[in-house]
């Protein structure tokens, strides 16, 4: 069986991108999640859940919501290495995913189907429910595969109804910056040294 990170490695030139090469790791005891805000060709948010020693990943074009009425499309992307968890920086022009990345939210999660439930199996079945303990996102969230989308499966990612739900809230505009450094996308972009200048520094 090929390494779950093969797609991740194949898409990138690590002489060109500051993203980590990474490796498949042992599962962590307390699983972690991250949501990265990624200003690529189109601004989107990348949801990543640690499972099986890698980060299972979805691109969420419109980003997460704390309002249970708001269900957001989530498109599966390649597994990412654990080292990607706190990646924040600029992927230079011409590279896969070129653009700026910030750590929009990070924390622990629990599988709401039970501590012994296998998230990988839940995902295979197209129905996962998780409890997020982030700095911004808290409470139960569902990740449900829909029939739509042709060959490429599509999922919905949305807040479940519980005491943590915030109907009507606009968390993306209320809390736009990095939870790692407090920086905005623009600040990260401007603080980064241009990678295409040879012999810089
Ligand atoms: Mn992305």
């Amino acid at each position: 069986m090929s390494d779950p990170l093969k797609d991740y490695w194949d898409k990138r030139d690590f002489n060109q991108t500051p993203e980590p090469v990474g490796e498949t790791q042992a599962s962590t005891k307390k699983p972690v999640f991250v949501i990265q805000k990624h200003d690529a060709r189109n601004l989107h948010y990348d949801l990543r859940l640690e499972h099986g020693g890698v980060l299972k990943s979805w691109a969420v074009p419109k980003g997460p919501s704390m309002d249970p009425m708001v269900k957001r499309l989530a498109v599966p992307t390649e597994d990412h290495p654990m080292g990607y968890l706190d990646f924040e920086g600029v992927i230079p022009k011409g590279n896969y995913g070129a653009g700026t990345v910030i750590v929009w939210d990070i924390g622990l999660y629990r599988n709401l189907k039970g501590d012994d439930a296998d998230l990988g199996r839940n995902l295979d079945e197209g129905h996962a429910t998780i409890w997020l303990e982030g700095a911004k996102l808290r409470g139960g969230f569902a990740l449900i595969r829909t029939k739509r989308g042709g060959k490429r499966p599509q999922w919905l990612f949305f807040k479940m109804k519980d005491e943590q739900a915030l109907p009507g809230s606009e968390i993306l505009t209320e809390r736009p910056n990095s939870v790692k450094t407090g920086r905005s996308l623009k600040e990260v972009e401007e603080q980064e040294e241009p990678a295409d200048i040879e012999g810089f520094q």
Side-chain angles (χ1 to χ4, degrees):
M1 208 176 82
S2 71
D3 196 290
L5 293 176
K6 186 176 186 309
D7 281 354
Y8 174 86
W9 293 322
D10 285 351
K11 288 173 189 287
R12 290 168 176 80
D13 177 352
F14 293 99
N15 294 314
Q16 298 287 328
T17 179
E19 297 166 290
V21 176
E23 58 187 347
T24 302
Q25 298 184 6
S27 289
T28 51
K29 196 149 194 197
K30 293 200 166 189
V32 288
F33 82 97
V34 65
I35 293 185
Q36 276 147 329
K37 187 176 178 182
H38 186 183
D39 190 13
R41 197 177 310 150
N42 297 300
L43 179 71
H44 62 275
Y45 294 76
D46 290 299
L47 165 67
R48 310 190 197 283
L49 302 173
E50 190 273 331
H51 178 73
V54 295
L55 297 170
K56 309 303 287 183
S57 299
W58 293 258
V60 184
K62 291 188 175 172
S65 175
M66 287 295 288
D67 184 340
M69 296 295 286
V70 178
K71 294 180 170 60
R72 291 284 159 80
L73 173 70
V75 180
T77 57
E78 75 277 15
D79 294 347
H80 278 49
M82 290 296 289
Y84 213 90
L85 255 191
D86 68 344
F87 172 72
E88 190 164 290
V90 177
I91 302 169
K93 275 200 188 94
N95 288 275
Y96 180 73
T100 309
V101 177
I102 60 172
V103 177
W104 184 80
D105 199 14
I106 195 166
L108 299 175
Y109 78 86
R110 298 193 276 117
N111 190 337
L112 284 174
K113 294 183 195 287
D115 290 334
D116 295 328
D118 177 7
L119 186 82
R121 188 169 166 190
N122 302 152
L123 293 175
D124 286 346
E125 292 169 353
H127 193 289
T129 51
I130 50 177
W131 183 273
L132 301 182
E133 294 278 350
K136 296 172 184 172
L137 300 185
R138 303 187 75 84
F141 282 79
L143 199 47
I144 311 293
R145 189 167 54 217
T146 70
K147 302 261 183 262
R148 285 170 289 171
K151 268 189 214 163
R152 203 159 183 210
Q154 294 187 348
W155 297 64
L156 291 174
F157 179 57
F158 57 93
K159 182 77 195 73
M160 293 160 69
K161 289 177 187 162
D162 56 32
E163 66 276 14
Q164 303 288 337
L166 298 170
S169 85
E170 299 281 348
I171 196 154
L172 301 180
T173 49
E174 286 160 14
R175 304 189 65 185
N177 292 350
S178 166
V179 293
K180 181 185 173 188
T181 60
R183 295 182 296 175
S184 64
L185 279 168
K186 197 158 190 287
E187 284 169 325
V188 170
E189 192 186 328
E190 287 169 355
Q191 285 165 20
E192 208 73 19
E193 293 169 356
D196 56 351
I197 297 177
E198 293 277 304
F200 192 78
Q201 102 181 74

